[in-house]
Each structure stands twice: as structure tokens, then as C-alpha cells.
Amino acid sequence: MPNHAIAPLTGTDADFPPRDLREFHFTDGDFARVRELIYRTAGIALSPVKRDLVYGRLARRLRVRGLTSFDDYLRIVESGDRQEQEAFVNALTTNLTSFFREPHHFPILADHLKGLGGRRPLSIWCCAASTGEEPYSIAMTVVEQFGTFTPPVRILATDIDTSVLDRARQGIYRIDRIERLPREQLRRFFLRGEGKNYGLVRVRPELQKLITFRQLNLLDPQWPMGERFDAIFCRNVMIYFDKETQYGILRKFVPLLHPGGLLFAGHSESFHHAADLFQVRGKTVYAVRDGAPLPTSLRS
């Protein structure tokens, strides 16, 4: 979610061989089943033009499983095989992210935290963590705002894709991923690799300790949240859901935000269709509207 975002399948048809030269037969019916499965599982509405890209991603899974047809593969996914369902979702999501992506959000977050002060422990949820750049950017902002690696802030970082969460937990990146950061941030927050790790950097353990990484599908009927948040980052995820799915997720955010809490969205996202839930507080920044309806489960 598409946070960092999780975005379905980018690329061009030129990335894959012509259909008559392909290893596996991939019918219109197979593609329709894929579209229905990924929508039902992850809420992603795949465009019809992504057929060739879908073939390229899933053909790898057929080879891994030793299968010769998409029909056999999709039967496994449809049967409820949890391991393959996870691999299926991971294959059909591309994680686009960078450190301090959409940089205007981070001064707003810092000012928001400053206004809240240290009256109580604070919580932030990054719900599309991808490979970790976004939650680590949030953590750096928190440390800089409070002037300590032990601020009164907890950061929860979730993603549907378990493979990218593993990379996020490791906190290891190519050095070119951080080359645009200010020198002071490089010195304070990263360790440079040596020897066989030359060309890599690692996030300092003190920063990693501020973040809890957890797998979560935003389409799950229940979210295992035992707290409310002062800020939620859900950026560049909603654009891959239809309006009905977006509204359902936004409505579930409402009771999870403290009064005055902020929701940060992506630059291409607009929540005009959820004006009864959220109101604009800045450029792609929202707050819960007074009287916003709660999810049915909470109303009862």
C-alpha cells in the first residue's frame, strides 16, 4: 500500500517477451481471476493494461512451485494456501519509497509534536512502511524535535508485504539511497559499511528501537490496535483502491486518532468523497471532522 508506498505493478510491456514466445499460457480468464483475487485480498484494483506485467511477476511463482499452468497456480492461491497467498500479494506489489519523500510533511509533523509537548507518551502509525525509508524518516524527525534518541514517542510501522518488512527491520540500504540527506543527518543516524559491506549503510540501532514493524493488511476486518495515534501516515496507498474501499479505510482511521490528530496523505490523493470524515489541515494533511461517523462495529 502501496506507503512507500505500495503501488501495483509499474513498467511497460517492453519489459516482457511477446505473448507467443512465453513459457506459460496466460488467458483472459486467468487474468480476470488474478484481478479478482488481488482486489479481494489486498484491495488493489488492477488496470486491464497491467496484464503483461502480471504475467511477468507471477510466472516466477509458477517456476518456484514447479507448475506448468496458471490455472494450477491460481487454484493453489484460491484454496487458501497462506504461504502462497502471501507470495502472490508480494509479487503483485511494487514498493516505491525514499527517505523524506514529500518533504513538506515532516516540518508539519515536527510542529505537531512540539504543540503536543511531553504531557503524555505519543504514538505515530506509518501504515505503508515498505522497505523502511518512511518510518525511519519519521523517527529522525522525532529525534530531532525532542533532541534525544529516547523521545516519548512510539512509532508503529506496518505493511502488507512481509518481504519488504524484513528489509525494513534490517535497516540496511545502498549508500546512494541517502546521498541527498544533510551531512548532519548522515552522521547522526547512519553507520557506513566497511569491507564486504562497502557501499552500504545501516540505520543506527538507537533509531531502530523507536519503531515496531508489524505485518498488517488494511483490508483486514479488524486491526489489532490497542491505542490511539497522534498522527497516521497513509501516503500513496489510497490511489490504488476504489472509492468505496478508500472510504471504509478512512472511516476506520477516525476512532484511532486522538483529538487533533493528523492524517498525512500522498500528493496524488484527495479525500473529497470522505468530507464527512476528514477536513483539510494543510497540503495533503487532514484532521477528523467533528461528528464524523464511527464504523458500525464501534457504534454498537
Side-chain angles (χ1 to χ4, degrees):
M1 279 219 150
N3 85 168
H4 148 14
I6 291 181
L9 304 182
T10 57
T12 67
D13 292 350
D15 297 327
F16 303 100
R19 295 179 184 180
D20 57 351
L21 298 179
R22 287 179 178 173
E23 182 178 357
F24 307 106
H25 188 51
F26 187 49
T27 68
D28 291 342
D30 294 332
F31 183 49
R33 288 166 70 187
V34 170
R35 294 181 69 193
E36 193 277 331
L37 276 168
I38 196 64
Y39 180 80
R40 174 156 44 90
T41 305
I44 294 173
L46 273 181
S47 165
V49 301
K50 301 299 184 183
R51 174 175 166 164
D52 292 333
L53 291 161
V54 165
Y55 172 88
R57 295 294 180 84
L58 294 184
R60 301 169 192 169
R61 295 304 308 162
L62 269 69
R63 296 185 194 104
V64 169
R65 299 294 299 245
L67 301 172
T68 58
S69 78
F70 271 88
D71 180 65
D72 290 342
Y73 174 73
L74 293 174
R75 286 178 184 273
I76 293 173
V77 179
E78 292 165 340
S79 72
D81 184 310
R82 294 183 66 85
Q83 182 177 358
E84 194 54 46
Q85 286 179 341
E86 183 176 292
F88 173 79
V89 171
N90 291 353
L92 295 183
T93 54
T94 298
N95 294 271
L96 308 174
T97 187
S98 62
F99 286 99
F100 292 96
R101 187 183 186 192
E102 305 198 32
H104 68 282
H105 280 160
F106 296 95
I108 295 173
L109 174 64
D111 288 344
H112 180 54
L113 297 175
K114 181 179 179 180
L116 294 172
R119 297 175 302 224
R120 57 173 172 77
L122 307 177
S123 293
I124 302 170
W125 178 20
C126 170
C127 66
S130 186
T131 47
E133 287 90 331
E134 182 170 291
Y136 287 126
S137 298
I138 293 170
M140 285 186 267
T141 302
V142 168
V143 169
E144 290 173 340
Q145 176 58 43
F146 286 91
T148 175
F149 275 100
T150 57
V153 180
R154 175 177 177 267
I155 301 169
L156 173 65
T158 66
D159 202 285
I160 190 174
D161 188 333
T162 53
S163 63
V164 296
L165 281 176
D166 289 339
R167 292 168 58 189
R169 290 188 185 97
Q170 294 173 10
I172 298 173
Y173 302 95
R174 298 192 315 271
I175 197 167
D176 64 292
R177 299 290 291 172
I178 65 166
E179 61 186 5
R180 296 186 179 182
L181 297 184
R183 183 177 298 273
E184 173 57 25
Q185 287 185 331
L186 298 178
R187 183 196 64 78
R188 190 175 190 183
F189 297 118
F190 295 90
L191 300 171
R192 187 183 294 268
E194 298 178 348
K196 66 178 182 179
N197 293 319
Y198 180 79
L200 300 175
V201 295
R202 182 174 183 175
V203 175
R204 286 186 176 272
E206 305 96 309
L207 197 70
Q208 289 178 296
K209 289 179 180 178
L210 299 180
I211 306 172
T212 299
F213 290 99
R214 185 184 302 166
Q215 195 272 344
L216 177 70
N217 185 345
L218 289 175
L219 289 195
D220 287 345
Q222 299 293 329
W223 297 340
M225 306 302 185
E227 61 186 312
R228 300 173 86 180
F229 298 95
D230 297 284
I232 295 176
F233 279 69
C234 186
R235 307 192 304 171
N236 306 303
V237 181
M238 295 292 196
I239 54 175
Y240 300 108
F241 299 144
D242 59 27
K243 295 297 184 183
E244 181 181 359
T245 303
Q246 289 179 15
Y247 187 89
I249 292 171
L250 290 168
R251 190 170 64 168
K252 290 172 69 174
F253 284 154
V254 170
L256 291 179
L257 278 166
H258 278 294
L262 298 180
L263 171 64
F264 294 84
H267 68 279
S268 298
E269 296 166 325
S270 174
F271 301 149
H272 295 307
H273 60 295
D276 60 326
L277 302 177
F278 286 93
Q279 55 189 338
V280 175
R281 281 286 181 266
K283 183 180 179 183
T284 57
V285 180
Y286 297 82
V288 174
R289 184 176 294 280
D290 290 342
L294 293 174
T296 303
S297 59
L298 292 179
R299 274 189 255 132
S300 61

